[in-house]
mmCIF file with all atom_site columns, all heavy atoms in Angstrom:
data_model
loop_
_atom_site.group_PDB
_atom_site.id
_atom_site.type_symbol
_atom_site.label_atom_id
_atom_site.label_alt_id
_atom_site.label_comp_id
_atom_site.label_asym_id
_atom_site.label_entity_id
_atom_site.label_seq_id
_atom_site.pdbx_PDB_ins_code
_atom_site.Cartn_x
_atom_site.Cartn_y
_atom_site.Cartn_z
_atom_site.occupancy
_atom_site.B_iso_or_equiv
_atom_site.pdbx_formal_charge
_atom_site.auth_seq_id
_atom_site.auth_comp_id
_atom_site.auth_asym_id
_atom_site.auth_atom_id
_atom_site.pdbx_PDB_model_num
ATOM 1  N N   . GLU A 1 181 ? -20.881 -11.943 14.572 1.00 93.00 ? 420 GLU A N   1
ATOM 2  C CA  . GLU A 1 181 ? -22.070 -12.545 15.140 1.00 93.00 ? 420 GLU A CA  1
ATOM 3  C C   . GLU A 1 181 ? -21.931 -12.677 16.660 1.00 93.00 ? 420 GLU A C   1
ATOM 4  O O   . GLU A 1 181 ? -22.880 -12.375 17.415 1.00 93.00 ? 420 GLU A O   1
ATOM 5  C CB  . GLU A 1 181 ? -22.269 -13.919 14.511 1.00 93.00 ? 420 GLU A CB  1
ATOM 6  C CG  . GLU A 1 181 ? -23.536 -14.635 14.931 1.00 93.00 ? 420 GLU A CG  1
ATOM 7  C CD  . GLU A 1 181 ? -24.751 -14.069 14.237 1.00 93.00 ? 420 GLU A CD  1
ATOM 8  O OE1 . GLU A 1 181 ? -24.695 -13.663 13.073 1.00 93.00 ? 420 GLU A OE1 1
ATOM 9  O OE2 . GLU A 1 181 ? -25.802 -14.014 14.929 1.00 93.00 ? 420 GLU A OE2 1
ATOM 10 N N   . ARG A 1 182 ? -20.765 -13.083 17.129 1.00 93.00 ? 421 ARG A N   1
ATOM 11 C CA  . ARG A 1 182 ? -20.574 -13.243 18.580 1.00 93.00 ? 421 ARG A CA  1
ATOM 12 C C   . ARG A 1 182 ? -20.568 -11.866 19.274 1.00 93.00 ? 421 ARG A C   1
ATOM 13 O O   . ARG A 1 182 ? -21.059 -11.735 20.409 1.00 93.00 ? 421 ARG A O   1
ATOM 14 C CB  . ARG A 1 182 ? -19.285 -13.973 18.835 1.00 93.00 ? 421 ARG A CB  1
ATOM 15 C CG  . ARG A 1 182 ? -19.364 -15.467 18.508 1.00 93.00 ? 421 ARG A CG  1
ATOM 16 C CD  . ARG A 1 182 ? -18.242 -16.262 18.992 1.00 93.00 ? 421 ARG A CD  1
ATOM 17 N NE  . ARG A 1 182 ? -17.073 -16.008 18.184 1.00 93.00 ? 421 ARG A NE  1
ATOM 18 C CZ  . ARG A 1 182 ? -15.855 -16.483 18.477 1.00 93.00 ? 421 ARG A CZ  1
ATOM 19 N NH1 . ARG A 1 182 ? -15.652 -17.201 19.568 1.00 93.00 ? 421 ARG A NH1 1
ATOM 20 N NH2 . ARG A 1 182 ? -14.845 -16.197 17.706 1.00 93.00 ? 421 ARG A NH2 1
ATOM 21 N N   . GLU A 1 183 ? -20.001 -10.847 18.597 1.00 91.00 ? 422 GLU A N   1
ATOM 22 C CA  . GLU A 1 183 ? -20.075 -9.491  19.182 1.00 91.00 ? 422 GLU A CA  1
ATOM 23 C C   . GLU A 1 183 ? -21.507 -9.032  19.359 1.00 91.00 ? 422 GLU A C   1
ATOM 24 O O   . GLU A 1 183 ? -21.871 -8.474  20.381 1.00 91.00 ? 422 GLU A O   1
ATOM 25 C CB  . GLU A 1 183 ? -19.337 -8.508  18.270 1.00 91.00 ? 422 GLU A CB  1
ATOM 26 C CG  . GLU A 1 183 ? -17.832 -8.512  18.354 1.00 91.00 ? 422 GLU A CG  1
ATOM 27 C CD  . GLU A 1 183 ? -17.228 -7.490  17.415 1.00 91.00 ? 422 GLU A CD  1
ATOM 28 O OE1 . GLU A 1 183 ? -17.176 -6.316  17.808 1.00 91.00 ? 422 GLU A OE1 1
ATOM 29 O OE2 . GLU A 1 183 ? -16.837 -7.868  16.304 1.00 91.00 ? 422 GLU A OE2 1
ATOM 30 N N   . ALA A 1 184 ? -22.342 -9.283  18.346 1.00 88.00 ? 423 ALA A N   1
ATOM 31 C CA  . ALA A 1 184 ? -23.723 -8.901  18.380 1.00 88.00 ? 423 ALA A CA  1
ATOM 32 C C   . ALA A 1 184 ? -24.437 -9.633  19.513 1.00 88.00 ? 423 ALA A C   1
ATOM 33 O O   . ALA A 1 184 ? -25.251 -9.052  20.245 1.00 88.00 ? 423 ALA A O   1
ATOM 34 C CB  . ALA A 1 184 ? -24.431 -9.162  17.056 1.00 88.00 ? 423 ALA A CB  1
ATOM 35 N N   . ASP A 1 185 ? -24.121 -10.921 19.678 1.00 89.00 ? 424 ASP A N   1
ATOM 36 C CA  . ASP A 1 185 ? -24.756 -11.720 20.751 1.00 89.00 ? 424 ASP A CA  1
ATOM 37 C C   . ASP A 1 185 ? -24.399 -11.158 22.126 1.00 89.00 ? 424 ASP A C   1
ATOM 38 O O   . ASP A 1 185 ? -25.239 -11.044 23.007 1.00 89.00 ? 424 ASP A O   1
ATOM 39 C CB  . ASP A 1 185 ? -24.342 -13.183 20.641 1.00 89.00 ? 424 ASP A CB  1
ATOM 40 C CG  . ASP A 1 185 ? -24.939 -13.872 19.456 1.00 89.00 ? 424 ASP A CG  1
ATOM 41 O OD1 . ASP A 1 185 ? -25.937 -13.333 18.901 1.00 89.00 ? 424 ASP A OD1 1
ATOM 42 O OD2 . ASP A 1 185 ? -24.449 -14.964 19.075 1.00 89.00 ? 424 ASP A OD2 1
ATOM 43 N N   . VAL A 1 186 ? -23.105 -10.793 22.299 1.00 87.00 ? 425 VAL A N   1
ATOM 44 C CA  . VAL A 1 186 ? -22.669 -10.242 23.569 1.00 87.00 ? 425 VAL A CA  1
ATOM 45 C C   . VAL A 1 186 ? -23.335 -8.893  23.845 1.00 87.00 ? 425 VAL A C   1
ATOM 46 O O   . VAL A 1 186 ? -23.787 -8.625  24.947 1.00 87.00 ? 425 VAL A O   1
ATOM 47 C CB  . VAL A 1 186 ? -21.123 -10.107 23.624 1.00 87.00 ? 425 VAL A CB  1
ATOM 48 C CG1 . VAL A 1 186 ? -20.676 -9.373  24.867 1.00 87.00 ? 425 VAL A CG1 1
ATOM 49 C CG2 . VAL A 1 186 ? -20.473 -11.475 23.567 1.00 87.00 ? 425 VAL A CG2 1
ATOM 50 N N   . LEU A 1 187 ? -23.415 -8.065  22.791 1.00 84.00 ? 426 LEU A N   1
ATOM 51 C CA  . LEU A 1 187 ? -24.078 -6.785  22.949 1.00 84.00 ? 426 LEU A CA  1
ATOM 52 C C   . LEU A 1 187 ? -25.521 -6.931  23.408 1.00 84.00 ? 426 LEU A C   1
ATOM 53 O O   . LEU A 1 187 ? -26.009 -6.246  24.265 1.00 84.00 ? 426 LEU A O   1
ATOM 54 C CB  . LEU A 1 187 ? -24.017 -5.983  21.650 1.00 84.00 ? 426 LEU A CB  1
ATOM 55 C CG  . LEU A 1 187 ? -22.681 -5.308  21.316 1.00 84.00 ? 426 LEU A CG  1
ATOM 56 C CD1 . LEU A 1 187 ? -22.699 -4.771  19.891 1.00 84.00 ? 426 LEU A CD1 1
ATOM 57 C CD2 . LEU A 1 187 ? -22.384 -4.199  22.290 1.00 84.00 ? 426 LEU A CD2 1
#
Side-chain angles (χ1 to χ4, degrees):
E420 185 76 35
R421 289 191 286 172
E422 282 180 83
D424 291 343
V425 171
L426 282 170

